[in-house]
Amino acid sequence: MSIKSIILVVEDDHSIRSFISTVLKTNGYEVLEATRGSDAYMMITSHCPDLVLLDLGLPDTDGMRIIASVREWSQVPIVVVSARAHERDKVAALDAGADDY
């Protein structure tokens, strides 16, 4: 029995979340899903994923707040997956503690 890496996909758009999750599961990862920032934060604290794929535009909070909150106590890798294309959004996410955009 092998231990699978756990990846948390935080995305409110069903089709995008489903696509990312399917690709990850097909490649042998255990996938957790969240559609809201509050759920994502709870899952990060309780499941300790190996990686977080985070959308910035969530219905209850901005993903930037999630990054800042998580960085107060954890160095879990956070990769932003967002439709925001402005350079300032990328810089802000990386400055807040995201590992990649």
Side-chain angles (χ1 to χ4, degrees):
M1 182 170 121
S2 66
I3 298 174
K4 294 181 177 183
S5 295
I6 301 170
I7 300 178
L8 173 60
V9 178
V10 185
E11 172 61 66
D12 61 321
D13 184 282
H14 174 73
S15 59
I16 295 171
R17 187 179 65 253
S18 178
F19 175 75
I20 293 171
S21 295
T22 299
V23 170
L24 292 170
K25 289 175 186 175
T26 300
N27 284 282
Y29 295 99
E30 181 177 337
V31 178
L32 303 172
E33 297 180 6
T35 59
R36 301 171 47 83
S38 56
D39 295 336
Y41 190 78
M42 180 195 66
M43 293 175 91
I44 293 167
T45 60
S46 62
H47 294 283
C48 299
D50 298 295
L51 173 68
V52 177
L53 298 178
L54 177 66
D55 180 24
L56 295 180
L58 300 170
D60 63 335
T61 189
D62 190 288
M64 297 293 291
R65 290 183 189 217
I66 301 294
I67 296 169
S69 296
V70 169
R71 284 297 174 250
E72 291 179 2
W73 58 273
S74 175
Q75 289 302 310
V76 61
I78 299 173
V79 175
V80 174
V81 180
S82 180
R84 295 182 187 176
H86 294 292
E87 191 72 25
R88 68 178 176 268
D89 292 323
K90 294 176 185 179
V91 170
L94 294 170
D95 284 348
D99 295 283
D100 206 346
Y101 194 102

